Amino acid sequence: MKFSKLYAPTAKEAPKDASLASHKFLLRAGYAEQVGSGLYNFLPLGKRVLENIKNIVKEELDEAGAQEISMSFVTSADLWRESGRFDVYGKELLRFKDRKENDFVLSPTNEESVVALVRGKVTSYKQLPLNLYQINTKFRDEARPRFGLLRGREFLMKDGYSFHANAEDLDREFDLMEKTYSKIFTRLGLNFRAVRADSGAIGGSGSKEFMVLANSGEDDIIVCENCDYAANIEAATRAKRTTQAERPEADAAKFLTPNAKTIKDVAEFFRVDEFYCIKAVIKKAIFIDAKGEKSEKIVVFFVRGEDELQEVKAQNACAALELADATEAEIAAAGLVGGFCGPVGLRGVEFYIDKELRGESQMICGANERDYHFVGVSVSSFNAERFKDLTAVKAGDKCPCCGGNLSVSKGIEVGHIFKLGTKYSEPMGATFLDENGKAKPFIMGCYGIGVSRLVAVAVEASHDEKGIIWNETLAPFKFEIIVSNLKDEEGVKFAQGLYEDLRGAGVSVLLDDRNERFGVKMSEFELMGFPYAVIVGKGLAEGTVELVTRDGLAKETVKASEILARLKSL
Ligand code: ATP
Ligand code: MG
């Protein structure tokens, strides 16, 4: 490709709202342009990177036996009603009517579509397993589209769905997809971890997220410093916490504790470690029933004084759609005494206790009466269903697998694999006949990759203050040839010859044939981030050219007669 023909409008200034390197550089270097909130056009350079990613994804999935399809982006709302998701899915789902007043949605994900695609056509266990995927547009009306391609409203996702006759076969495919994803992200040159995850709104049992480690990530992940254990903060567990602090000794009693409302106050009042105090976190839980009716109620979560409530765990514990902070008035209306709430004798309100507190003795908790706490409390007389995993794992906690130290890292989610089970096949009546001729719902898995997000993730992972640093796999062009002075006829001729030779060898190369200042050409090379540039300048008279490596910007003088062989060897 000749630069004079390339459509790559560059800009000196980054958009005002761009805080991340990927957002700034991809827009400034003319890879993509924003056309609305969370909406982007891909320009030729960006499209080339996207295609490089898509090809790798496709090659590895095809190799693993999955088959590519393409499903309609617009989906009938009737399908979403069959699965029960039409009313439950939040405002991210864009719903609209066509001219005949029929409801439709723009697909944010395609479980319903793919179930309808096989329903009534895959009818026997002999046709299973089946894994179908697409690389297609998605729309999610995100509350906060930001960070450029990292969180758009319209974006490109690879979404795959598998169908199985039994759970063991799903487990096998899930493992195969985990391996396949690892191959894909390794080939893309990314530093990633497969982490255990919460299954979220899509539902199902097993779930793993693929996280690229990056300081700009929005997700907190817990990583063991000693073994492979890695988990999303929402799913992370830890070895039960212990303490060296002395356990208080007191007979069960009620104590006047004037104004001791916080855990700190209580611990100081009794001169005990916060480990021995029980903290109440009062939330307003919002529920939605099968008819789409919303309801809300106050739910109390008890955790150890030194711990924090993990909201997603808490939400799962009470099966709420979401949790919100409860106001003082709502707390009082529920019959609770803010600052003095405890599990002992608590009635008329739903509550849960962190599982690590089960069986604890000599604890201190609120007495559900203003200015009073109980001491010498045993956490033993509660029903087993009250105990749930509620706490947020923090840095310094111990690994549940090996006891090693856990630390917190930031990550960007680039892929997610789930075991769905029969969550969609059952309500949608998608069944097959098993070996005994009995109708059974398909056991399903689903597997996503954020294809357009990956373009930005790669830039987050590899850039400097001047611009992008592509690896060879992702780069839109591997080489750029720059003639420092277009009036230099010999130089132009040499560059043109090198360009033809490289093209003949099937190498992707960009020839900067524009009548621009050398400084402009170099700074655009640095901004756009191609792996290597060959500079044809004054040295040619002595038979040399310069080879610049974008990563580190090291310069090397190479004999003009040897440059072609040198580039081919790179
Ligand atoms: P996130 O937690 O980042 O919002 P998600 O868990 O909602 O993502 P999934 O439903 O698991 O996303 O979708 C599969 C993949 O699609 C994600 O792993 C992510 O890489 C990508 N993705 C999700 N939302 C967006 C978005 N708004 N813009 C770009 N890519 C996205
Ligand atoms: Mg996800």
Side-chain angles (χ1 to χ4, degrees):
M1 174 102 213
K2 292 193 172 164
F3 212 137
S4 57
K5 302 274 187 286
L6 175 68
Y7 183 66
T10 54
K12 285 227 159 51
E13 299 295 326
K16 273 194 224 75
D17 64 332
S19 55
L20 297 188
S22 59
H23 191 181
K24 286 183 199 159
F25 291 143
L26 287 168
L27 269 63
R28 274 189 55 210
Y31 282 77
E33 66 181 12
Q34 186 168 4
V35 288
S37 171
L39 305 176
Y40 292 86
N41 288 336
F42 274 85
L43 304 181
L45 286 176
K47 180 74 173 140
R48 290 178 79 104
V49 179
L50 206 52
E51 289 305 308
N52 291 340
I53 297 172
K54 279 163 84 171
N55 286 338
I56 290 178
V57 169
K58 184 169 161 47
E59 272 172 36
E60 293 298 338
L61 285 168
D62 291 351
E63 176 68 27
Q67 297 173 60
E68 189 171 18
I69 56 170
S70 181
M71 291 183 275
S72 170
F73 177 39
V74 173
T75 307
S76 163
D78 288 342
L79 282 181
W80 281 69
R81 292 200 177 97
E82 280 188 49
S83 71
R85 267 209 293 193
F86 188 69
D87 297 312
V88 186
Y89 212 100
K91 288 191 171 160
E92 280 76 33
L93 182 65
L94 188 70
R95 303 155 168 95
F96 63 96
K97 288 186 193 297
D98 69 0
R99 65 167 80 199
K100 292 180 183 151
E101 293 290 307
N102 295 317
D103 290 315
F104 286 90
V105 307
L106 283 186
S107 304
T109 172
N110 280 92
E111 285 77 9
E112 286 80 357
S113 315
V114 80
V115 167
L117 188 143
V118 301
R119 182 169 56 184
K121 285 157 269 180
V122 176
T123 52
S124 158
Y125 72 97
K126 290 179 194 148
Q127 293 163 281
L128 299 173
L130 182 65
N131 186 332
L132 301 173
Y133 76 95
Q134 62 173 352
I135 299 177
N136 212 342
T137 303
K138 295 282 175 285
F139 190 89
R140 293 183 183 178
D141 202 353
E142 298 269 357
R144 288 206 291 160
R146 58 202 165 134
F147 307 142
L149 298 176
L150 280 182
R151 186 169 297 286
R153 292 198 296 165
E154 185 180 308
F155 57 98
L156 202 62
M157 196 203 286
K158 171 259 145 177
D159 48 325
Y161 308 88
S162 68
F163 299 85
H164 308 272
N166 55 54
E168 295 73 53
D169 198 49
L170 169 62
D171 291 348
R172 178 202 50 75
E173 187 76 11
F174 187 84
D175 290 346
L176 175 64
M177 284 298 120
E178 183 173 347
K179 289 201 183 79
T180 305
Y181 273 41
S182 296
K183 279 192 202 159
I184 291 171
F185 297 123
T186 303
R187 279 183 70 185
L188 294 175
L190 297 168
N191 179 15
F192 69 94
R193 287 269 200 142
V195 310
R196 292 159 211 240
D198 170 67
S199 299
I202 295 188
S205 51
S207 155
K208 274 195 173 172
E209 282 171 354
F210 286 78
M211 292 281 183
V212 167
L213 303 184
N215 290 333
S216 54
E218 290 182 278
D219 290 291
D220 285 319
I221 48 185
I222 301 288
V223 182
C224 178
E225 290 167 5
N226 187 49
C227 76
D228 285 345
Y229 181 80
N232 190 305
I233 187 89
E234 297 161 2
T237 56
R238 65 183 183 192
K240 191 175 172 183
R241 259 180 98 84
T242 53
T243 182
Q244 302 292 322
E246 201 183 333
R247 188 174 289 273
E249 275 179 40
D251 293 334
K254 192 161 86 178
F255 245 84
L256 180 65
T257 54
N259 286 324
K261 281 190 159 187
T262 66
I263 287 296
K264 196 161 166 276
D265 298 340
V266 175
E268 269 170 21
F269 182 92
F270 288 105
R271 291 171 200 267
V272 298
D273 197 272
E274 293 183 4
F275 185 88
Y276 298 109
C277 300
I278 298 178
K279 173 154 78 187
V281 185
I282 306 174
K283 290 280 174 188
K284 182 166 70 179
I286 296 154
F287 300 88
I288 196 154
D289 66 13
K291 290 197 192 102
E293 300 286 329
K294 273 198 178 177
S295 62
E296 53 182 59
K297 69 175 162 202
I298 293 293
V299 181
V300 189
F301 302 94
F302 294 103
V303 296
R304 209 182 272 287
E306 57 181 15
D307 282 328
E308 298 300 329
L309 182 73
Q310 212 300 317
E311 289 237 356
V312 175
K313 288 183 179 178
Q315 192 180 320
N316 291 342
C318 64
L321 186 67
E322 62 183 274
L323 295 181
D325 288 335
T327 63
E328 277 185 31
E330 286 165 338
I331 292 173
L336 297 171
V337 190
F340 300 93
C341 180
V344 178
L346 185 60
R347 298 209 206 299
V349 54
E350 185 169 333
F351 69 93
Y352 297 94
I353 306 171
D354 185 65
K355 64 179 176 37
E356 281 188 32
L357 288 169
R358 193 169 189 180
E360 280 287 11
S361 58
Q362 291 296 345
M363 300 298 287
I364 298 172
C365 69
N368 299 310
E369 198 176 313
R370 210 192 139 68
D371 287 339
Y372 282 95
H373 277 85
F374 285 129
V375 299
V377 171
S378 292
V379 192
S380 47
S381 59
F382 300 97
N383 287 339
E385 307 86 72
R386 293 255 185 238
F387 293 98
K388 304 271 182 180
D389 180 12
L390 299 175
T391 43
V393 175
K394 48 185 182 257
D397 282 348
K398 300 288 172 259
C399 176
C401 297
C402 75
N405 225 25
L406 295 176
S407 62
V408 185
S409 299
K410 288 280 179 194
I412 307 176
E413 182 186 325
V414 290
H416 200 164
I417 56 178
F418 296 92
K419 290 181 190 173
L420 289 174
T422 58
K423 182 166 158 87
Y424 295 91
S425 52
E426 198 166 320
M428 293 183 71
T431 59
F432 67 98
L433 294 180
D434 73 4
E435 281 131 313
N436 306 316
K438 208 170 151 236
K440 282 194 175 153
F442 295 112
I443 314 269
M444 292 176 61
C446 81
Y447 319 95
I449 293 183
V451 175
S452 52
R453 175 179 286 185
L454 275 167
V455 176
V457 170
V459 179
E460 283 306 312
S462 178
H463 63 267
D464 62 14
E465 70 290 350
K466 294 186 167 165
I468 302 168
I469 303 174
W470 291 115
N471 61 34
E472 291 174 27
T473 312
L474 294 178
F477 295 98
K478 184 165 171 184
F479 301 114
E480 179 173 357
I481 305 171
I482 300 174
V483 188
S484 61
N485 179 1
L486 276 193
K487 292 195 185 101
D488 167 13
E489 278 175 30
E490 280 306 304
V492 171
K493 215 172 110 198
F494 181 84
Q496 181 73 33
L498 183 61
Y499 171 69
E500 301 293 349
D501 288 341
L502 285 170
R503 276 171 44 103
V507 179
S508 70
V509 52
L510 183 68
L511 173 65
D512 197 343
D513 59 342
R514 297 171 305 160
N515 194 8
E516 278 285 0
R517 280 185 299 117
F518 176 65
V520 171
K521 292 183 178 181
M522 265 320 275
S523 60
E524 287 192 356
F525 160 71
E526 289 162 359
L527 176 65
M528 291 177 177
F530 313 122
Y532 304 98
V534 176
I535 300 168
V536 182
K538 286 201 187 97
L540 191 64
E542 280 88 55
T544 63
V545 294
E546 268 190 338
L547 177 62
V548 184
T549 303
R550 175 63 188 89
D551 190 1
L553 291 172
K555 282 196 181 120
E556 186 191 340
T557 305
V558 181
K559 279 191 188 148
S561 57
E562 288 169 9
I563 186 72
L564 180 63
R566 181 66 205 282
L567 296 182
K568 281 188 185 166
S569 75
L570 283 171

